[in-house]
Amino acid sequence: MDTEQWRARIRALAAELTGDDGPAADGPAAAREAAVDAARSLGRLADALDAGEGDGGGAAAAGRPAPVEVVVPVLGVDGCKAGWVGALLEPGAPRPRIVVAPTIGELVAMVRESTGIAVVGIDIPIGLPDSTIRQADRLARRALPGKSSSIFSTLTRSAYAAPTRLEADAVNRGLVGQGVGAQAFALRDKIVEVDAWLRTRPTVTVLEVHPELSFATMTGSPILVGKKTDEGRDERLAALAAAGIARPSVLKGQGYAADDVLDACAVAWSAVRHTTGLARPLPDPPEVFSDGIPAAIWA
């Protein structure tokens, strides 16, 4: 068996460990966490095999990871006017399949009716702090020079419980000394929605992913041009193509725009990396607050 075959076999095993049919899928939390740790170790082994080829060129030399190989289905999700738009990546499928639903629960359930997805990545804060600023947000801003403004500080859980921005501002200032920006509060309903869904304990691995961090990881540096411009769209499409994600057959539709779809594709890319043990969390290990939900941004 040559190096390429070993690498593919290792990544496939890593994906099986974290899939719906994996040995720990229906087991206790400790078993699922151990399976994820094992998958990450296998991913590092595959990375070492990549490095061992020593050609000094290609994607790695340019600061870009090698194109991903989808070995189990994953779903990348971004918020949109219609609710949520998802990019479904499946083994052997030529392009991401785009799906839309009004709620996160409906979106995931709709996909799982026909596809056994292993990981759901979502562009939304997951794991809400009690009285601190999340390390995930601080570290992600630090990792995005020139694009750090795309990462806002997640509010405290108590602030999200407040019905108005004015009340949330007072609560958050009292707990962490920071006010509440319009963008942070505008996402309140979606953040609360995902938090409530996670508390139903969905039987699938769910990750927080930020598309700009994913794009920066796949290209080696942040994409500075705005995502809503033609240039920004084309640059992100090129980055996805180089990373192994083909252009979606649909880029926009009723209630979702091209930037929503491309963000969902970038999130799906990070979800694929998680299945093969390549994704890394910020922070590592994730923080855990009183809600018990690991808080980290994966890329």
Side-chain angles (χ1 to χ4, degrees):
M1 188 179 297
D2 62 23
T3 301
E4 180 62 33
Q5 290 173 317
W6 272 114
R7 192 162 48 232
R9 185 173 177 182
I10 289 167
R11 295 203 193 286
L13 177 57
E16 287 177 19
L17 283 171
T18 55
D20 277 353
D21 298 324
D26 298 319
R32 293 196 299 272
E33 290 172 5
V36 170
D37 287 342
R40 291 170 65 185
S41 295
L42 287 169
R44 286 191 288 272
L45 174 57
D47 282 348
L49 289 174
D50 283 336
E53 292 184 350
D55 62 4
R64 297 169 178 252
V68 294
E69 179 184 0
V70 181
V71 292
V72 291
V74 301
L75 181 67
V77 182
D78 188 48
C80 62
K81 289 182 179 179
W84 300 91
V85 59
L88 176 63
L89 299 178
E90 302 172 271
R95 299 178 185 275
R97 179 155 61 96
I98 305 305
V99 289
V100 184
T103 70
I104 188 66
E106 289 174 288
L107 182 72
V108 175
M110 177 175 64
V111 172
R112 295 186 79 183
E113 285 179 0
S114 60
T115 308
I117 47 177
V119 175
V120 177
I122 310 177
D123 176 19
I124 204 76
I126 291 174
L128 305 182
D130 302 299
S131 57
T132 59
I133 302 297
R134 296 197 320 166
Q135 285 298 312
D137 303 330
R138 286 175 168 162
L139 294 172
R141 278 194 291 269
R142 196 177 302 165
L144 291 171
K147 202 70 175 180
S148 60
S149 62
S150 66
I151 307 286
F152 62 88
S153 290
T154 303
L155 308 184
T156 57
R157 178 171 291 279
S158 298
Y160 283 120
T164 68
R165 180 182 169 190
L166 185 63
E167 292 170 278
D169 186 272
V171 170
N172 217 60
R173 285 184 186 277
L175 289 171
V176 298
Q178 284 193 1
V180 174
Q183 183 186 20
F185 195 73
L187 287 175
R188 172 186 176 273
D189 289 348
K190 288 192 181 298
I191 291 171
V192 171
E193 176 192 341
V194 170
D195 181 69
W197 174 67
L198 285 171
R199 288 169 176 270
T200 68
R201 299 187 179 276
T203 55
V204 64
T205 298
V206 182
L207 309 174
E208 175 183 348
V209 181
H210 195 288
E212 295 299 341
L213 188 59
S214 296
F215 279 121
T217 302
M218 70 176 75
T219 62
S221 62
I223 296 179
L224 300 181
V225 64
K227 64 182 181 179
K228 294 183 182 294
T229 66
D230 289 345
E231 182 185 357
R233 179 200 61 207
D234 292 344
E235 194 165 336
R236 285 163 175 80
L237 279 168
L240 287 166
I245 308 297
R247 180 189 178 102
S249 55
V250 175
L251 273 182
K252 59 183 178 179
Q254 185 68 38
Y256 62 95
D259 60 289
D260 300 322
V261 170
L262 297 183
D263 279 353
C265 289
V267 172
W269 177 81
S270 289
V272 172
R273 283 167 53 83
H274 187 274
T275 66
T276 57
L278 293 175
R280 298 290 179 265
L282 292 178
D284 189 4
E287 288 182 288
V288 179
F289 305 110
S290 64
D291 56 20
I293 301 170
I297 300 175
W298 291 80

